[in-house]
């Protein structure tokens, strides 16, 4: 989940403190609508899709837009909502906070009644602030930093899990499936990566696992061998890297070159096929913790087929969560029998069992998905292959 410049490129889940956002949202507030005022006045119902469409994350952003288009096409083919067609309004936020403010304001000015999207949390937070001021619901498909739904605002929802769920999941996998005694955790010093690392380290320690190394690298470097030499000398059973795939691919490659033989793992920012290009054969056997990919979901086979047929390639990791974000938003508009954003927000809060492609979707009082899931995948022959999941009874089971 990379950004166009060093700050934004690695900030898919980077979150700024709310007070620091005041200068960023000032112009959005100045031109914003009062809560609940925005209405769809034309022949269509406009749903905004803010994502990176420029910079090094443009492919991820386009993948999300593609998922939104498939959802809108299906809804419109079935007659639309409230007698109107869904009109998507994509907007480039470049995974950059300042650009995101401008993108959010453009969407407000365009008359969107709801927003479904988000990739980098560094962009999603200022967007959320602007949409909150305008009373517009924001359904996130990929921005996973906990703070987004810890603001106490009622207009934010999420079709994917949170990083403070992924950390304990990863720790449990290392402890109870890999039977690791010693673990090294490396982050890239961004808020997302450090947050995932800290949650993982805390969970590992609580389970009696020796965390022999927990420190940061500087993203964008061409050589991490000094860090990896130090880590390798500590003989960890597992190295878990919580940053992004650009550095993740290089690190696993260099770790293998230095003779590290044990398990190398990555967080969900490593679930991009570009990892294989960077790491080469060294990626083989790398394990990733992630939300379930579309190709692993029995309920998503049709989606994968439609996506592949339409776009000539398989879906990326988050387009299916965007597909459901658009779908659940349309469901809320239909339930509300209104395009008034306040009514849509209220309807979203009442949804408990939307039958999404990624499974049943309902939201807890904070707006988080109430039944979020994480799994592990393993790299085999330059593909992400389903590996292990945690059953309802707490047992690790092989995925098919």
């Amino acid at each position: 989940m990379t950004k166009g410049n060093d700050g934004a490129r690695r900030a898919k889940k980077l979150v700024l403190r709310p007070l620091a956002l005041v200068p960023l949202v000032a112009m959005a507030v100045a031109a914003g609508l009062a809560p609940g005022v925005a209405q769809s006045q034309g022949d269509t119902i406009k749903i905004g899709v803010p994502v990176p469409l420029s910079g090094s994350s443009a492919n991820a952003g386009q993948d999300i837009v593609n998922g939104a288009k498939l959802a809108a096409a299906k809804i419109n083919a079935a007659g639309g909502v409230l007698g109107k067609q869904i009109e998507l309004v994509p907007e480039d936020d470049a995974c950059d906070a300042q650009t995101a403010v401008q993108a959010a304001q453009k969407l407000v000015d365009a008359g969107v009644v709801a927003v479904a999207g988000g990739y980098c949390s560094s962009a999603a937070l200022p967007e959320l602030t602007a949409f909150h001021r305008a009373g517009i619901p924001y359904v996130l498909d990929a921005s996973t930093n906990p703070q987004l739904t810890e603001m106490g605002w009622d207009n934010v929802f999420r079709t994917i899990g949170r990083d403070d769920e992924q950390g304990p999941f990863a720790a449990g996998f290392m402890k109870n499936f890999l039977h690791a005694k010693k673990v090294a955790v490396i982050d890239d010093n961004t808020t997302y990566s450090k947050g995932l690392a800290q949650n993982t380290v805390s969970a590992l320690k609580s389970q009696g696992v020796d965390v022999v190394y927990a420190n940061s690298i500087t993203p964008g470097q061409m050589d991490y061998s000094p860090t990896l030499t130090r880590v390798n000398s500590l003989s960890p059973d597992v190295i878990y890297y919580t940053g992004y795939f650009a550095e993740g691919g290089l690190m696993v490659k260099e770790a293998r070159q230095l003779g590290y033989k044990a398990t190398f793992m990555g967080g969900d920012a490593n679930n991009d096929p570009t990892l294989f290009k960077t790491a080469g054969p060294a990626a083989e056997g790398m394990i990733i913790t992630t939300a379930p990919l579309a190709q692993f979901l029995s309920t998503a086979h049709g989606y994968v087929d439609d996506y592949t047929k339409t776009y000539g390639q398989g879906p990326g990791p988050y387009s299916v969560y965007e597909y459901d974000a658009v779908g659940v938003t349309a469901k809320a508009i239909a339930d509300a029998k209104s395009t008034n954003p306040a009514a849509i927000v209220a309807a979203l809060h009442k949804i408990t069992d939307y039958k999404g492609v990624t499974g049943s979707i309902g939201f807890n009082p904070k707006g988080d998905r109430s039944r979020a899931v994480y799994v592990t995948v393993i790299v085999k022959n330059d593909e992400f292959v389903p590996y292990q999941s945690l059953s309802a009874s707490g047992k690790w089971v092989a995925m098919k």
Side-chain angles (χ1 to χ4, degrees):
M1 321 169 217
T2 58
K3 315 300 176 265
N5 55 59
D6 283 348
R9 185 181 66 84
R10 294 169 294 272
K12 167 184 171 286
K13 302 168 189 172
L14 173 64
V15 175
L16 305 176
R17 291 185 179 275
L19 290 177
L21 292 173
V22 173
L24 296 176
V25 301
M27 63 180 176
V29 174
L33 299 174
V37 171
Q39 291 277 349
S40 181
Q41 301 293 341
D43 295 330
T44 62
I45 297 174
K46 295 181 179 180
I47 297 177
V49 185
V51 288
L53 295 174
S54 62
S56 56
S57 285
N59 286 342
Q62 187 59 57
D63 178 60
I64 291 171
V65 171
N66 290 347
K69 287 180 177 179
L70 288 178
K74 182 175 182 180
I75 294 165
N76 290 338
V81 182
L82 305 181
K84 296 184 178 184
Q85 297 281 283
I86 295 293
E87 177 185 351
L88 299 177
V89 187
E91 195 62 54
D92 182 16
D93 65 21
C95 281
D96 172 75
Q98 186 68 53
T99 305
V101 172
Q102 300 167 0
Q105 191 55 48
K106 288 179 182 178
L107 292 175
V108 172
D109 292 343
V112 300
V113 301
V115 179
Y119 182 68
C120 304
S121 292
S122 57
L125 186 60
E127 289 164 356
L128 172 60
T129 302
F131 297 140
H132 176 69
R133 300 276 184 163
I136 296 173
Y138 191 4
V139 184
L140 299 158
D141 71 308
S143 302
T144 56
N145 191 282
Q147 190 175 347
L148 284 157
T149 48
E150 291 290 342
M151 303 288 289
W153 293 345
D154 68 349
N155 69 310
V156 58
F157 304 87
R158 194 156 17 202
T159 60
I160 200 166
R162 294 169 36 142
D163 294 323
D164 54 357
E165 296 170 316
Q166 183 180 185
F169 170 84
F173 175 79
M174 289 182 245
K175 162 73 174 180
N176 300 314
F177 183 79
L178 296 179
H179 305 293
K181 303 296 183 182
K182 299 192 296 182
V183 173
V185 180
I186 305 173
D187 66 77
D188 69 4
N189 210 32
T190 64
T191 299
Y192 149 66
S193 183
K194 286 185 71 68
L196 176 56
Q198 289 166 356
N199 277 287
T200 304
V201 168
S202 178
L204 286 168
K205 289 181 176 179
S206 71
Q207 297 181 47
V209 178
D210 184 12
V211 179
V212 297
Y213 185 91
N215 214 328
S216 306
I217 60 162
T218 300
Q221 294 186 348
M222 300 302 294
D223 182 12
Y224 295 104
S225 57
T227 294
L228 292 167
T229 298
R230 166 62 177 156
V231 170
N232 199 19
S233 72
L234 300 172
S235 302
D237 301 309
V238 178
I239 296 175
Y240 185 47
Y241 176 63
T242 64
Y244 287 81
F245 59 82
E247 290 77 22
L250 179 57
M251 290 184 70
V252 69
K253 180 178 181 179
E254 292 184 341
R256 298 310 187 199
Q257 290 173 342
L258 290 169
Y260 181 72
K261 303 294 185 183
T263 304
F264 198 104
M265 290 180 59
D268 60 346
N270 290 276
N271 60 7
D272 190 288
T274 307
L275 177 83
F276 312 142
K277 298 178 182 178
T278 306
E284 187 77 7
M286 184 176 177
I287 299 171
I288 311 294
T289 57
T290 182
L293 306 181
Q295 58 267 37
F296 303 157
L297 296 167
S298 61
T299 51
H301 290 168
Y303 172 80
V304 173
D305 290 343
D306 289 345
Y307 190 106
T308 303
K309 180 179 179 180
T310 303
Y311 301 112
Q313 60 184 16
Y318 299 105
S319 66
V320 70
Y321 294 92
E322 173 69 5
Y323 184 92
D324 278 353
V326 172
V328 76
T329 300
K331 165 68 171 170
I333 294 170
D335 289 350
K337 298 182 175 61
S338 172
T339 57
N340 180 280
I344 300 170
V345 168
L348 281 165
H349 278 289
K350 294 178 182 177
I351 290 176
T352 59
D353 190 23
Y354 172 74
K355 303 300 184 183
V357 172
T358 60
S360 174
I361 295 176
F363 303 108
N364 66 21
K366 292 181 179 179
D368 286 309
R369 184 168 179 163
S370 55
R371 290 177 289 275
V373 175
Y374 280 97
V375 299
T376 62
V377 300
I378 189 168
V379 177
K380 290 187 177 181
N381 299 319
D382 288 348
E383 290 185 354
F384 293 118
V385 177
Y387 192 44
Q388 296 287 320
S389 64
L390 195 61
S391 72
S393 62
K395 294 183 178 179
W396 293 99
V397 295
M399 297 172 61
K400 297 180 179 180

mmCIF file of all heavy atoms in Angstrom, residues 16-22 24-26 28-29 33 100-101 104-105 108 123-136 138 148 151 153 155-156:
data_model
loop_
_atom_site.group_PDB
_atom_site.id
_atom_site.type_symbol
_atom_site.label_atom_id
_atom_site.label_comp_id
_atom_site.label_asym_id
_atom_site.label_seq_id
_atom_site.Cartn_x
_atom_site.Cartn_y
_atom_site.Cartn_z
ATOM 1 N N LEU A 16 -2.039 11.681 11.022
ATOM 2 C CA LEU A 16 -1.574 12.869 11.718
ATOM 3 C C LEU A 16 -2.457 13.133 12.922
ATOM 4 O O LEU A 16 -3.618 12.755 12.965
ATOM 5 C CB LEU A 16 -1.649 14.074 10.761
ATOM 6 C CG LEU A 16 -0.894 13.902 9.442
ATOM 7 C CD1 LEU A 16 -1.137 15.130 8.567
ATOM 8 C CD2 LEU A 16 0.578 13.726 9.684
ATOM 9 N N ARG A 17 -1.930 13.824 13.906
ATOM 10 C CA ARG A 17 -2.745 14.190 15.053
ATOM 11 C C ARG A 17 -3.788 15.209 14.629
ATOM 12 O O ARG A 17 -3.519 16.094 13.836
ATOM 13 C CB ARG A 17 -1.879 14.783 16.163
ATOM 14 C CG ARG A 17 -0.958 13.746 16.801
ATOM 15 C CD ARG A 17 -0.213 14.338 17.976
ATOM 16 N NE ARG A 17 0.633 13.350 18.587
ATOM 17 C CZ ARG A 17 0.228 12.484 19.491
ATOM 18 N NH1 ARG A 17 -1.028 12.491 19.872
ATOM 19 N NH2 ARG A 17 1.055 11.608 20.016
ATOM 20 N N PRO A 18 -5.013 15.110 15.175
ATOM 21 C CA PRO A 18 -6.074 16.004 14.750
ATOM 22 C C PRO A 18 -5.706 17.466 14.832
ATOM 23 O O PRO A 18 -6.036 18.239 13.949
ATOM 24 C CB PRO A 18 -7.218 15.654 15.708
ATOM 25 C CG PRO A 18 -6.954 14.226 16.101
ATOM 26 C CD PRO A 18 -5.463 14.095 16.140
ATOM 27 N N LEU A 19 -5.016 17.908 15.888
ATOM 28 C CA LEU A 19 -4.694 19.319 16.022
ATOM 29 C C LEU A 19 -3.790 19.789 14.899
ATOM 30 O O LEU A 19 -3.839 20.941 14.474
ATOM 31 C CB LEU A 19 -4.029 19.579 17.387
ATOM 32 C CG LEU A 19 -4.954 19.433 18.605
ATOM 33 C CD1 LEU A 19 -4.145 19.657 19.873
ATOM 34 C CD2 LEU A 19 -6.111 20.412 18.526
ATOM 35 N N ALA A 20 -2.960 18.881 14.389
ATOM 36 C CA ALA A 20 -2.049 19.249 13.316
ATOM 37 C C ALA A 20 -2.780 19.439 11.992
ATOM 38 O O ALA A 20 -2.234 19.963 11.040
ATOM 39 C CB ALA A 20 -0.967 18.182 13.153
ATOM 40 N N LEU A 21 -4.028 19.012 11.937
ATOM 41 C CA LEU A 21 -4.776 19.100 10.697
ATOM 42 C C LEU A 21 -5.496 20.415 10.533
ATOM 43 O O LEU A 21 -6.038 20.699 9.474
ATOM 44 C CB LEU A 21 -5.820 17.973 10.641
ATOM 45 C CG LEU A 21 -5.231 16.571 10.508
ATOM 46 C CD1 LEU A 21 -6.335 15.546 10.643
ATOM 47 C CD2 LEU A 21 -4.536 16.425 9.179
ATOM 48 N N VAL A 22 -5.532 21.242 11.566
ATOM 49 C CA VAL A 22 -6.294 22.483 11.492
ATOM 50 C C VAL A 22 -5.911 23.318 10.288
ATOM 51 O O VAL A 22 -6.772 23.767 9.527
ATOM 52 C CB VAL A 22 -6.148 23.286 12.800
ATOM 53 C CG1 VAL A 22 -6.805 24.650 12.651
ATOM 54 C CG2 VAL A 22 -6.785 22.523 13.946
ATOM 55 N N LEU A 24 -4.660 22.316 7.531
ATOM 56 C CA LEU A 24 -4.972 21.585 6.322
ATOM 57 C C LEU A 24 -6.440 21.665 5.966
ATOM 58 O O LEU A 24 -6.808 21.665 4.796
ATOM 59 C CB LEU A 24 -4.571 20.109 6.476
ATOM 60 C CG LEU A 24 -3.086 19.839 6.652
ATOM 61 C CD1 LEU A 24 -2.873 18.356 6.880
ATOM 62 C CD2 LEU A 24 -2.309 20.298 5.436
ATOM 63 N N VAL A 25 -7.308 21.665 6.953
ATOM 64 C CA VAL A 25 -8.735 21.626 6.664
ATOM 65 C C VAL A 25 -9.372 23.000 6.624
ATOM 66 O O VAL A 25 -10.558 23.133 6.359
ATOM 67 C CB VAL A 25 -9.489 20.765 7.702
ATOM 68 C CG1 VAL A 25 -8.953 19.356 7.714
ATOM 69 C CG2 VAL A 25 -9.405 21.371 9.098
ATOM 70 N N ALA A 26 -8.593 24.063 6.869
ATOM 71 C CA ALA A 26 -9.179 25.396 6.949
ATOM 72 C C ALA A 26 -9.937 25.764 5.682
ATOM 73 O O ALA A 26 -11.067 26.249 5.735
ATOM 74 C CB ALA A 26 -8.087 26.437 7.216
ATOM 75 N N ALA A 28 -11.127 23.740 3.472
ATOM 76 C CA ALA A 28 -12.277 22.869 3.286
ATOM 77 C C ALA A 28 -13.450 23.328 4.126
ATOM 78 O O ALA A 28 -14.596 23.309 3.693
ATOM 79 C CB ALA A 28 -11.909 21.425 3.656
ATOM 80 N N VAL A 29 -13.167 23.752 5.339
ATOM 81 C CA VAL A 29 -14.227 24.213 6.227
ATOM 82 C C VAL A 29 -14.853 25.493 5.707
ATOM 83 O O VAL A 29 -16.061 25.709 5.749
ATOM 84 C CB VAL A 29 -13.670 24.433 7.653
ATOM 85 C CG1 VAL A 29 -14.734 25.043 8.539
ATOM 86 C CG2 VAL A 29 -13.181 23.121 8.220
ATOM 87 N N LEU A 33 -20.147 22.527 3.362
ATOM 88 C CA LEU A 33 -21.566 22.649 3.638
ATOM 89 C C LEU A 33 -21.843 22.333 5.096
ATOM 90 O O LEU A 33 -21.083 21.646 5.751
ATOM 91 C CB LEU A 33 -22.337 21.672 2.746
ATOM 92 C CG LEU A 33 -22.185 21.896 1.236
ATOM 93 C CD1 LEU A 33 -22.886 20.759 0.497
ATOM 94 C CD2 LEU A 33 -22.759 23.232 0.815
ATOM 95 N N ALA A 100 -5.010 15.885 -0.301
ATOM 96 C CA ALA A 100 -6.255 15.255 0.121
ATOM 97 C C ALA A 100 -7.308 16.278 0.535
ATOM 98 O O ALA A 100 -8.501 16.088 0.282
ATOM 99 C CB ALA A 100 -5.983 14.296 1.280
ATOM 100 N N VAL A 101 -6.877 17.358 1.183
ATOM 101 C CA VAL A 101 -7.818 18.415 1.553
ATOM 102 C C VAL A 101 -8.478 18.981 0.304
ATOM 103 O O VAL A 101 -9.703 19.182 0.246
ATOM 104 C CB VAL A 101 -7.104 19.533 2.337
ATOM 105 C CG1 VAL A 101 -8.024 20.726 2.553
ATOM 106 C CG2 VAL A 101 -6.618 19.006 3.679
ATOM 107 N N ALA A 104 -10.886 16.392 -1.204
ATOM 108 C CA ALA A 104 -12.132 16.302 -0.447
ATOM 109 C C ALA A 104 -13.045 17.473 -0.755
ATOM 110 O O ALA A 104 -14.261 17.317 -0.923
ATOM 111 C CB ALA A 104 -11.828 16.234 1.049
ATOM 112 N N GLN A 105 -12.472 18.680 -0.839
ATOM 113 C CA GLN A 105 -13.292 19.847 -1.126
ATOM 114 C C GLN A 105 -13.897 19.779 -2.520
ATOM 115 O O GLN A 105 -15.039 20.184 -2.738
ATOM 116 C CB GLN A 105 -12.489 21.137 -0.957
ATOM 117 C CG GLN A 105 -13.359 22.384 -0.987
ATOM 118 C CD GLN A 105 -14.469 22.330 0.052
ATOM 119 O OE1 GLN A 105 -14.219 22.007 1.213
ATOM 120 N NE2 GLN A 105 -15.683 22.623 -0.371
ATOM 121 N N VAL A 108 -16.889 17.579 -2.202
ATOM 122 C CA VAL A 108 -17.994 18.289 -1.560
ATOM 123 C C VAL A 108 -18.641 19.243 -2.560
ATOM 124 O O VAL A 108 -19.871 19.304 -2.698
ATOM 125 C CB VAL A 108 -17.503 19.045 -0.313
ATOM 126 C CG1 VAL A 108 -18.617 19.942 0.248
ATOM 127 C CG2 VAL A 108 -17.026 18.070 0.762
ATOM 128 N N ALA A 123 -3.843 10.537 3.956
ATOM 129 C CA ALA A 123 -4.793 11.306 3.157
ATOM 130 C C ALA A 123 -6.208 11.146 3.694
ATOM 131 O O ALA A 123 -7.008 12.087 3.664
ATOM 132 C CB ALA A 123 -4.732 10.859 1.700
ATOM 133 N N ALA A 124 -6.530 9.967 4.179
ATOM 134 C CA ALA A 124 -7.898 9.701 4.623
ATOM 135 C C ALA A 124 -8.294 10.551 5.828
ATOM 136 O O ALA A 124 -9.459 10.950 5.956
ATOM 137 C CB ALA A 124 -8.063 8.222 4.962
ATOM 138 N N LEU A 125 -7.344 10.840 6.717
ATOM 139 C CA LEU A 125 -7.706 11.610 7.909
ATOM 140 C C LEU A 125 -8.128 13.043 7.581
ATOM 141 O O LEU A 125 -9.191 13.488 8.033
ATOM 142 C CB LEU A 125 -6.579 11.600 8.938
ATOM 143 C CG LEU A 125 -6.942 12.268 10.263
ATOM 144 C CD1 LEU A 125 -8.130 11.585 10.931
ATOM 145 C CD2 LEU A 125 -5.748 12.288 11.209
ATOM 146 N N PRO A 126 -7.352 13.808 6.804
ATOM 147 C CA PRO A 126 -7.842 15.133 6.433
ATOM 148 C C PRO A 126 -9.097 15.078 5.573
ATOM 149 O O PRO A 126 -9.962 15.949 5.669
ATOM 150 C CB PRO A 126 -6.674 15.777 5.684
ATOM 151 C CG PRO A 126 -5.765 14.668 5.322
ATOM 152 C CD PRO A 126 -5.955 13.609 6.356
ATOM 153 N N GLU A 127 -9.228 14.057 4.748
ATOM 154 C CA GLU A 127 -10.467 13.890 3.990
ATOM 155 C C GLU A 127 -11.637 13.682 4.931
ATOM 156 O O GLU A 127 -12.707 14.313 4.782
ATOM 157 C CB GLU A 127 -10.338 12.700 3.031
ATOM 158 C CG GLU A 127 -9.409 12.953 1.861
ATOM 159 C CD GLU A 127 -8.968 11.698 1.143
ATOM 160 O OE1 GLU A 127 -9.324 10.584 1.606
ATOM 161 O OE2 GLU A 127 -8.253 11.817 0.135
ATOM 162 N N LEU A 128 -11.440 12.810 5.910
ATOM 163 C CA LEU A 128 -12.496 12.548 6.883
ATOM 164 C C LEU A 128 -12.899 13.814 7.615
ATOM 165 O O LEU A 128 -14.090 14.071 7.850
ATOM 166 C CB LEU A 128 -12.027 11.483 7.877
ATOM 167 C CG LEU A 128 -12.944 11.225 9.076
ATOM 168 C CD1 LEU A 128 -14.319 10.774 8.619
ATOM 169 C CD2 LEU A 128 -12.318 10.194 10.006
ATOM 170 N N THR A 129 -11.912 14.630 7.980
ATOM 171 C CA THR A 129 -12.205 15.878 8.678
ATOM 172 C C THR A 129 -13.102 16.774 7.824
ATOM 173 O O THR A 129 -14.090 17.332 8.308
ATOM 174 C CB THR A 129 -10.906 16.610 9.035
ATOM 175 O OG1 THR A 129 -10.091 15.759 9.836
ATOM 176 C CG2 THR A 129 -11.187 17.893 9.801
ATOM 177 N N ALA A 130 -12.763 16.895 6.546
ATOM 178 C CA ALA A 130 -13.568 17.724 5.645
ATOM 179 C C ALA A 130 -14.963 17.142 5.454
ATOM 180 O O ALA A 130 -15.964 17.884 5.479
ATOM 181 C CB ALA A 130 -12.857 17.861 4.302
ATOM 182 N N PHE A 131 -15.069 15.843 5.288
ATOM 183 C CA PHE A 131 -16.377 15.228 5.095
ATOM 184 C C PHE A 131 -17.220 15.302 6.365
ATOM 185 O O PHE A 131 -18.446 15.436 6.311
ATOM 186 C CB PHE A 131 -16.221 13.778 4.635
ATOM 187 C CG PHE A 131 -15.542 13.631 3.302
ATOM 188 C CD1 PHE A 131 -14.623 12.622 3.078
ATOM 189 C CD2 PHE A 131 -15.804 14.519 2.266
ATOM 190 C CE1 PHE A 131 -13.984 12.487 1.857
ATOM 191 C CE2 PHE A 131 -15.179 14.395 1.031
ATOM 192 C CZ PHE A 131 -14.260 13.380 0.834
ATOM 193 N N HIS A 132 -16.566 15.217 7.512
ATOM 194 C CA HIS A 132 -17.294 15.353 8.773
ATOM 195 C C HIS A 132 -17.906 16.746 8.892
ATOM 196 O O HIS A 132 -19.053 16.893 9.320
ATOM 197 C CB HIS A 132 -16.361 15.083 9.949
ATOM 198 C CG HIS A 132 -17.001 15.293 11.280
ATOM 199 N ND1 HIS A 132 -17.983 14.468 11.777
ATOM 200 C CD2 HIS A 132 -16.820 16.259 12.221
ATOM 201 C CE1 HIS A 132 -18.372 14.900 12.966
ATOM 202 N NE2 HIS A 132 -17.681 15.985 13.251
ATOM 203 N N ARG A 133 -17.140 17.748 8.514
ATOM 204 C CA ARG A 133 -17.661 19.115 8.561
ATOM 205 C C ARG A 133 -18.887 19.269 7.657
ATOM 206 O O ARG A 133 -19.783 20.050 7.955
ATOM 207 C CB ARG A 133 -16.580 20.098 8.125
ATOM 208 C CG ARG A 133 -15.326 20.082 8.983
ATOM 209 C CD ARG A 133 -15.460 20.942 10.194
ATOM 210 N NE ARG A 133 -14.209 20.984 10.937
ATOM 211 C CZ ARG A 133 -13.925 21.895 11.839
ATOM 212 N NH1 ARG A 133 -14.776 22.864 12.094
ATOM 213 N NH2 ARG A 133 -12.776 21.852 12.497
ATOM 214 N N ALA A 134 -18.889 18.542 6.549
ATOM 215 C CA ALA A 134 -20.007 18.627 5.610
ATOM 216 C C ALA A 134 -21.095 17.600 5.898
ATOM 217 O O ALA A 134 -22.121 17.584 5.215
ATOM 218 C CB ALA A 134 -19.493 18.443 4.182
ATOM 219 N N GLY A 135 -20.864 16.731 6.890
ATOM 220 C CA GLY A 135 -21.864 15.729 7.252
ATOM 221 C C GLY A 135 -21.971 14.578 6.279
ATOM 222 O O GLY A 135 -22.981 13.870 6.258
ATOM 223 N N ILE A 136 -20.940 14.373 5.459
ATOM 224 C CA ILE A 136 -20.979 13.347 4.413
ATOM 225 C C ILE A 136 -20.362 12.049 4.928
ATOM 226 O O ILE A 136 -19.265 12.059 5.477
ATOM 227 C CB ILE A 136 -20.217 13.839 3.167
ATOM 228 C CG1 ILE A 136 -20.922 15.059 2.572
ATOM 229 C CG2 ILE A 136 -20.098 12.728 2.119
ATOM 230 C CD1 ILE A 136 -20.141 15.719 1.448
ATOM 231 N N TYR A 138 -18.274 8.662 5.058
ATOM 232 C CA TYR A 138 -17.037 8.206 4.410
ATOM 233 C C TYR A 138 -16.852 6.738 4.771
ATOM 234 O O TYR A 138 -16.585 6.390 5.918
ATOM 235 C CB TYR A 138 -15.869 9.043 4.910
ATOM 236 C CG TYR A 138 -14.558 8.884 4.149
ATOM 237 C CD1 TYR A 138 -14.449 8.089 3.022
ATOM 238 C CD2 TYR A 138 -13.416 9.566 4.567
ATOM 239 C CE1 TYR A 138 -13.256 7.966 2.330
ATOM 240 C CE2 TYR A 138 -12.207 9.455 3.877
ATOM 241 C CZ TYR A 138 -12.137 8.655 2.759
ATOM 242 O OH TYR A 138 -10.946 8.542 2.072
ATOM 243 N N LEU A 148 -8.609 6.595 12.734
ATOM 244 C CA LEU A 148 -9.667 7.044 11.841
ATOM 245 C C LEU A 148 -11.057 6.824 12.428
ATOM 246 O O LEU A 148 -11.977 7.600 12.174
ATOM 247 C CB LEU A 148 -9.550 6.344 10.484
ATOM 248 C CG LEU A 148 -8.439 6.873 9.586
ATOM 249 C CD1 LEU A 148 -8.021 5.833 8.569
ATOM 250 C CD2 LEU A 148 -8.872 8.165 8.905
ATOM 251 N N MET A 151 -12.048 8.897 16.459
ATOM 252 C CA MET A 151 -12.271 10.338 16.584
ATOM 253 C C MET A 151 -13.578 10.665 17.291
ATOM 254 O O MET A 151 -13.816 11.800 17.695
ATOM 255 C CB MET A 151 -12.278 10.983 15.192
ATOM 256 C CG MET A 151 -11.023 10.740 14.374
ATOM 257 S SD MET A 151 -9.616 11.660 15.009
ATOM 258 C CE MET A 151 -10.095 13.318 14.542
ATOM 259 N N TRP A 153 -16.438 10.430 15.694
ATOM 260 C CA TRP A 153 -17.314 10.986 14.655
ATOM 261 C C TRP A 153 -18.211 9.878 14.110
ATOM 262 O O TRP A 153 -17.773 8.743 13.918
ATOM 263 C CB TRP A 153 -16.487 11.595 13.533
ATOM 264 C CG TRP A 153 -15.723 12.817 13.970
ATOM 265 C CD1 TRP A 153 -15.934 13.551 15.108
ATOM 266 C CD2 TRP A 153 -14.626 13.431 13.296
ATOM 267 N NE1 TRP A 153 -15.042 14.588 15.179
ATOM 268 C CE2 TRP A 153 -14.231 14.549 14.068
ATOM 269 C CE3 TRP A 153 -13.949 13.169 12.110
ATOM 270 C CZ2 TRP A 153 -13.188 15.389 13.699
ATOM 271 C CZ3 TRP A 153 -12.910 14.001 11.727
ATOM 272 C CH2 TRP A 153 -12.537 15.101 12.518
ATOM 273 N N ASN A 155 -19.721 9.696 11.136
ATOM 274 C CA ASN A 155 -19.854 9.570 9.682
ATOM 275 C C ASN A 155 -18.763 8.717 9.036
ATOM 276 O O ASN A 155 -18.641 8.679 7.821
ATOM 277 C CB ASN A 155 -19.839 10.955 9.017
ATOM 278 C CG ASN A 155 -18.474 11.636 9.103
ATOM 279 O OD1 ASN A 155 -17.890 11.722 10.183
ATOM 280 N ND2 ASN A 155 -17.960 12.134 7.979
ATOM 281 N N VAL A 156 -17.966 8.010 9.835
ATOM 282 C CA VAL A 156 -16.884 7.202 9.285
ATOM 283 C C VAL A 156 -17.178 5.718 9.504
ATOM 284 O O VAL A 156 -17.621 5.301 10.577
ATOM 285 C CB VAL A 156 -15.524 7.582 9.917
ATOM 286 C CG1 VAL A 156 -15.538 7.437 11.420
ATOM 287 C CG2 VAL A 156 -14.391 6.766 9.306
#
